[in-house]
Amino acid sequence: MASNTPQGANLLYGLRKSKKFTQGWGAQLPVAYKKFWDEWKNQQPAAVHYVPKNGMFQREDLTGLVTPIQNVPLPLIDPPESHEGIWGGEAIVKGFQKRTPYKRRVPHFWVPVLKRSVVHSQVLNEYMAVTVTDRTLDQIHDNHGFDHYLLKTPACDLRSMLAIKLKKKILVDLLAGCPKLAAEPEKQQAAIKEFSCYLSQYTPEEIDWYGLSYVEAVLKIKNQVESQADKRPHKVIFRQKLIEQLKEAGIREAQGTADELKTVDDSSASSWLSKLAFKPKNW
């Protein structure tokens, strides 16, 4: 059983807890992104490739043997091509197939049937040609539109980064009041009235962090921290702190030097090269 899981035989020694959000830049990620991560990676997706059974036990009709019901999800493979389309929760299933009763089973891959289709987004006011499956089209029809399908479906069931990115784009446009429908005020108001109910599930910060991969989220938090950091040299910062502490202690020699520190810059006149007795060639 362990060999059929993504972790493989490592589960024999216990499942190690992920340290993505406890070390390094991942520890500084906000709660808004962790909420999306739980929806994307930790939430149990809907059963697509098997039919789940209800109850806790089942009885065999012929033998009368009572066995526990185990709804074990199939191990799925998401190739890079799956993130370039919208497969509706489907993926590649790896297993074995016994084609004849007199021969041994052989490895087999069950691949979804893909087709090219055009979908329309009312909020984005765009027609898009994407690679879909029959289940994707059925889900769009059942939810009465492409926008409703994306907004109602959690990230764990979308599985595709393209679908998740489109969902975020729709949420951002809804939060901004559907600017792409500004030329048609009636359609704009109708779209806002129809889809604004989905905004109650997210805060503006959660929408901002929604749909980012772990690498993208780390780069974003890193850029935010670096942009807010003080870029002055440490010697200037430490010197200013020391003078402030001396002022608080009432030392007279520390008075009047804070203004001088504020005017310190890295101009060529104050650089160490200008203090040399000689100057190199081509100075």
Side-chain angles (χ1 to χ4, degrees):
M1 184 63 189
S3 61
N4 293 332
T5 58
Q7 294 83 6
N10 293 333
L11 285 180
L12 297 175
Y13 305 99
L15 182 61
R16 296 182 179 179
K17 189 176 181 180
S18 176
K19 297 182 179 179
K20 286 181 177 291
F21 300 102
T22 57
Q23 296 179 354
W25 288 103
Q28 303 186 33
L29 291 173
V31 180
Y33 181 74
K34 294 179 181 178
K35 179 182 177 182
F36 163 71
W37 183 268
D38 290 337
E39 178 188 337
W40 184 25
K41 296 295 185 180
N42 298 333
Q43 185 174 335
Q44 183 69 27
V48 178
H49 301 87
Y50 67 98
V51 179
K53 298 180 180 179
N54 299 325
M56 298 180 61
F57 298 94
Q58 63 181 357
R59 183 188 297 273
E60 299 291 341
D61 295 336
L62 297 178
T63 61
L65 180 65
V66 177
T67 57
I69 295 177
Q70 298 180 1
N71 293 319
V72 181
L74 297 176
L76 303 177
I77 301 175
D78 292 313
E81 292 78 9
S82 66
H83 298 289
E84 299 175 0
I86 304 176
W87 291 11
E90 295 190 49
I92 297 177
V93 179
K94 176 184 177 182
F96 293 91
Q97 187 180 44
K98 193 173 180 63
R99 298 173 182 173
T100 60
Y102 304 105
K103 292 184 179 180
R104 299 182 63 179
R105 63 179 187 175
V106 293
H108 186 76
F109 290 89
W110 285 268
V111 182
V113 179
L114 305 177
K115 60 179 66 176
R116 195 75 172 173
S117 182
V118 177
V119 294
H120 175 247
S121 173
Q122 299 181 23
V123 177
L124 302 179
N125 195 22
E126 292 182 8
Y127 288 90
M128 294 166 281
V130 294
T131 303
V132 298
T133 62
D134 290 335
R135 189 176 189 276
T136 306
L137 299 178
D138 293 340
Q139 291 289 319
I140 293 174
H141 295 158
D142 293 341
N143 289 281
H144 308 287
F146 182 66
D147 295 330
H148 285 291
Y149 163 66
L150 292 180
L151 295 173
K152 287 182 180 179
T153 308
C156 61
D157 290 334
L158 292 175
R159 300 185 70 92
S160 167
M161 286 303 299
L162 175 62
I164 295 175
K165 295 289 186 183
L166 287 175
K167 181 177 180 179
K168 177 184 179 178
K169 193 174 181 181
I170 292 173
L171 289 172
V172 170
D173 277 27
L174 280 176
L175 191 63
C178 301
K180 294 186 178 180
L181 294 173
E184 300 174 310
E186 295 182 358
K187 289 186 177 181
Q188 184 181 22
Q189 295 300 325
I192 293 175
K193 183 178 180 181
E194 183 178 358
F195 299 102
S196 60
C197 58
Y198 297 104
L199 292 176
S200 60
Q201 305 175 11
Y202 308 94
T203 62
E205 183 184 6
E206 292 173 356
I207 295 176
D208 186 30
W209 287 93
Y210 196 91
L212 298 179
S213 64
Y214 182 78
V215 176
E216 293 173 346
V218 168
L219 290 177
K220 182 174 181 177
I221 192 66
K222 184 178 180 181
N223 293 334
Q224 289 182 358
V225 172
E226 291 179 351
S227 62
Q228 297 174 0
D230 195 347
K231 297 183 179 180
R232 293 181 300 168
H234 286 174
K235 64 177 183 179
V236 177
I237 299 175
F238 296 153
R239 188 185 306 164
Q240 186 174 0
K241 290 182 179 179
L242 176 61
I243 292 176
E244 291 176 356
Q245 293 176 0
L246 294 176
K247 282 185 176 182
E248 293 177 357
I251 298 178
R252 184 177 58 184
E253 288 78 1
Q255 303 296 330
T257 57
D259 296 336
E260 298 177 0
L261 288 174
K262 292 181 181 179
T263 59
V264 172
D265 55 2
D266 294 330
S267 61
S268 59
S270 61
S271 63
W272 63 275
L273 287 175
S274 62
K275 299 179 182 179
L276 294 176
F278 68 95
K279 293 183 179 180
K281 294 181 179 180
N282 301 327
W283 179 258

